[in-house]
């Protein structure tokens, strides 16, 4: 999903929206924004065995460039052992690799690290339940650990043409894990080229619910997430390209979706997020030796309730302390938040863009401006209600590293004219919001 593809669809998208939308309020198209063919009501969530598509929001056939799909001609049922079922699941997957279905119809426990990478052209059909074992001491020494933000995983999927579906449940036994330190992701895709995850329930994660890392051409559809602990992001994307997340319900204790470093060409649409910290780009620029990119992201038709934030972009300033306190370089470019309905986003703000993440002193932020640039960002068509008129924070560390930030058709009812806490912003690009300061 390249920028040229998005922009070529802009004219068509506007006509589709005009023909199908049920919203009667005025809308404004921002010049240059990445617009996809959209409707307010999404396609039915995927529930069967057919791989979901991203229609109608995603820009048509070919946007998710899947590899050749091999027919599933073999079935490999897994019998629950009453103990550690990880080895049996892996053996079944290896047996069905190349064109089969791993049938998971019972109640299973994964008590040892289960590496399902390098297994291609296989479906994992989960109609039963998988519970992650609670032997914390074992896991601390045996999980696959990532260098980014202490993420780890107890099992991992990877390969070409991988599907996971069936209506079943994955339970992370998250109560045994603290709110800091090394913590496990509930469901990890690492190195998937062409795949889909749909019609699943994810419960009780100890950390993030989904990590999509080093992967391309992946669709998530009809995922129900319940995990109210701190840091239980719904999705985190990392070093991945061409990912769609859609038609899902999330009740969690951190970001509904977070685009971590080197996330490109992604669509998030049709989500209901409760209790979250918003749909977030970042945080980025945390590590001084890293070059982070988040580019070409379209976020559409989101309901955000009882949340800390709504739409959020968070970038660290230049380094203000030791390693891990900012100073990383890179860029955020071509990000569109379109059609948000907010309800009781009370703790912070409905719209947040900051290059001063984790630095409350704006003078210090100015003295150490971000090395990671932000440009071509669009917040538009925001509805719902807020408890106070100050609904946004828009902070650039310097105008030279933060440009073309736009708002339009912000129609949140807040008991007065809508305002934003602004810093180094071009106010001529902000419609429907007045800056409290500059």
């Amino acid at each position: 999903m390249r920028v040229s593809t998005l922009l070529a669809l802009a004219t068509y998208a506007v006509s589709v929206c005009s023909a199908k939308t049920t919203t009667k309020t005025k809308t404004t198209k921002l010049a240059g924004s990445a617009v996809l063919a959209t409707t307010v009501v999404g396609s039915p969530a995927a529930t069967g065995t057919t791989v979901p598509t991203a229609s109608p929001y995603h820009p048509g056939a070919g946007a998710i460039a899947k590899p050749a799909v091999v027919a599933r001609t073999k079935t490999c049922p897994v019998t629950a052992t009453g103990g550690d079922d990880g080895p049996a699941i892996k053996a079944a997957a290896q047996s069905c690799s190349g064109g089969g279905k791993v049938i998971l119809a019972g109640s299973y426990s994964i008590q040892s690290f289960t590496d399902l990478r390098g297994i291609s052209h296989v479906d994992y059909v989960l109609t039963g339940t998988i519970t992650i074992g609670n032997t914390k001491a074992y896991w601390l020494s045996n999980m696959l650990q990532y260098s980014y933000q202490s993420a780890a995983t107890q099992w991992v999927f990877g390969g070409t043409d991988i599907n996971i579906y069936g209506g079943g449940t994955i339970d992370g036994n998250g109560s045994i894990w603290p709110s800091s330190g090394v913590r496990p992701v509930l469901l990890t895709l690492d190195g998937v080229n062409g795949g889909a995850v749909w019609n699943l329930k994810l419960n009780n994660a100890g950390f993030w619910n989904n990590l999509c890392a080093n992967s391309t051409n992946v669709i998530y559809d009809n995922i129900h997430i319940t995990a109210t602990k701190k840091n239980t992001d719904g999705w985190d994307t990392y070093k991945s390209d061409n990912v769609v997340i859609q038609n899902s319900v999330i009740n969690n204790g951190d970001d509904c979706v977070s685009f971590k470093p080197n996330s490109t060409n992604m669509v998030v649409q049709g989500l209901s997020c409760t209790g979250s910290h918003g749909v977030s780009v970042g945080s980025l620029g945390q590590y001084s030796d890293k070059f982070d990119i988040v580019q070409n992201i379209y976020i559409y038709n989101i309901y955000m309730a009882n949340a800390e934030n709504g739409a959020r972009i968070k970038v660290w300033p230049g380094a203000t302390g030791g390693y891990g306190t900012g100073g990383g370089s890179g860029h955020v470019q071509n990000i569109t938040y379109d059609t948000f309905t907010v309800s009781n986003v009370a703790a912070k703000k409905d719209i947040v863009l900051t290059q001063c993440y984790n630095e409350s002193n704006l003078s210090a932020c100015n003295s150490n401006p971000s090395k990671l640039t932000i440009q071509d960002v669009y917040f538009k068509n925001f509805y719902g209600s807020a408890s106070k008129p100050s609904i946004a924070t828009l902070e650039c560390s310097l105008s030279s590293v933060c440009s073309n930030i736009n708002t339009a058709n912000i129609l949140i009812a807040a008991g007065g004219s809508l305002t934003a806490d602004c810093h180094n912003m071009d106010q001529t690009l902000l419609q429907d919001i007045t800056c409290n300061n500059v």
Side-chain angles (χ1 to χ4, degrees):
M1 187 178 65
R2 302 291 183 258
V3 179
S4 58
T5 304
L6 294 171
L7 296 180
L9 286 157
T11 302
Y12 171 69
V14 171
S15 66
V16 170
C17 286
S18 299
K20 293 186 178 181
T21 184
T22 57
T23 303
K24 301 300 183 182
T25 51
K26 172 188 173 185
T27 58
T28 304
K29 180 182 179 295
L30 300 173
S33 61
V35 179
L36 307 184
T38 56
T39 57
V40 170
V41 179
S43 57
T47 57
T49 59
T50 302
V51 177
T53 64
S55 177
Y57 305 151
H58 203 270
I64 294 291
K66 294 183 178 179
V69 175
V70 173
R72 308 312 199 231
T73 58
K74 184 177 181 179
T75 59
C76 302
V78 179
T79 301
T81 65
D84 179 14
D85 296 303
I89 292 172
K90 182 172 183 176
Q94 290 172 329
S95 178
C96 263
S97 183
K101 295 182 178 182
V102 176
I103 307 301
L104 299 163
S107 295
Y108 307 94
S109 177
I110 292 181
Q111 300 176 18
S112 60
F113 177 64
T114 303
D115 191 345
L116 301 174
R117 292 173 296 180
I119 300 173
S120 295
H121 308 295
V122 63
D123 288 8
Y124 298 87
V125 185
L126 175 62
T127 58
T129 300
I130 293 176
T131 301
I132 307 300
N134 61 2
T135 51
K136 181 179 174 183
Y138 166 83
W139 288 123
L140 285 172
S141 301
N142 291 279
M143 292 187 291
L144 173 64
Q145 297 195 9
Y146 293 87
S147 60
Y148 188 77
Q149 293 189 341
S150 301
T153 191
Q154 295 144 316
W155 63 328
V156 56
F157 295 82
T160 298
D161 183 23
I162 300 295
N163 300 313
I164 309 168
Y165 60 91
T169 299
I170 303 172
D171 191 302
N173 242 325
S175 62
I176 69 171
W177 295 99
S179 296
S180 61
V182 175
R183 293 151 296 170
V185 177
L186 182 52
L187 182 60
T188 301
L189 305 187
D190 189 342
V192 170
N193 177 23
V197 181
W198 75 96
N199 193 25
L200 293 176
K201 294 179 283 294
L202 305 183
N203 296 337
N204 303 317
F207 190 43
W208 304 338
N209 282 273
N210 291 279
L211 171 61
C212 184
N214 307 303
S215 295
T216 59
N217 307 314
V218 175
I219 297 180
Y220 293 88
D221 193 302
N222 192 25
I223 307 298
H224 285 238
I225 291 173
T226 304
T228 55
K229 285 186 62 175
K230 184 179 178 181
N231 298 128
T232 49
D233 294 1
W235 280 266
D236 288 80
T237 61
Y238 179 63
K239 295 184 178 180
S240 292
D241 181 66
N242 259 14
V243 177
V244 175
I245 300 167
Q246 64 182 16
N247 300 333
S248 296
V249 177
I250 302 95
N251 187 343
N252 70 329
D254 211 298
D255 293 326
C256 194
V257 179
S258 180
F259 304 101
K260 295 295 198 262
N262 304 313
S263 296
T264 55
N265 304 309
M266 298 188 179
V267 173
V268 170
Q269 56 202 359
L271 303 188
S272 174
C273 305
T274 300
S276 83
H277 291 186
V279 176
S280 300
V281 172
S283 65
L284 304 172
Q286 180 177 358
Y287 302 107
S288 57
D289 59 345
K290 303 299 182 183
F291 189 91
D292 297 342
I293 296 172
V294 174
Q295 183 171 311
N296 303 339
I297 308 294
Y298 195 89
I299 302 141
Y300 173 76
N301 193 23
I302 307 297
Y303 176 70
M304 189 73 60
N306 303 325
E308 185 173 287
N309 297 285
R312 183 166 66 151
I313 297 175
K314 45 185 180 175
V315 169
W316 291 69
T320 57
Y323 184 70
T325 62
S329 58
H331 65 260
V332 172
Q333 184 174 17
N334 196 30
I335 312 296
T336 298
Y337 290 89
D338 179 2
T339 309
F340 260 62
T341 300
V342 296
S343 176
N344 192 31
V345 179
K348 293 187 180 177
K349 300 295 177 71
D350 299 287
I351 297 172
V352 174
L353 180 149
T354 182
Q355 285 181 313
C356 303
Y357 184 65
N358 264 8
E359 177 54 77
S360 58
N361 187 325
L362 291 182
S363 295
C365 187
N366 284 344
S367 299
N368 297 278
S370 178
K371 298 177 183 179
L372 195 149
T373 63
I374 302 177
Q375 65 185 80
D376 307 329
V377 176
Y378 305 89
F379 301 99
K380 60 182 184 175
N381 304 323
F382 276 62
Y383 311 102
S385 60
S387 60
K388 54 186 180 298
S390 180
I391 61 138
T393 296
L394 302 169
E395 296 174 337
C396 294
S397 58
L398 287 177
S399 57
S400 59
V401 293
C402 184
S403 61
N404 197 26
I405 312 303
N406 301 263
T407 65
N409 205 45
I410 310 300
L411 301 176
I412 296 170
S417 297
L418 301 179
T419 64
D421 297 326
C422 300
H423 188 65
N424 292 325
M425 294 299 303
D426 182 351
Q427 296 182 70
T428 66
L429 301 179
L430 305 180
Q431 301 177 32
D432 305 313
I433 292 177
T434 301
C435 283
N436 289 323
N437 43 37
V438 180

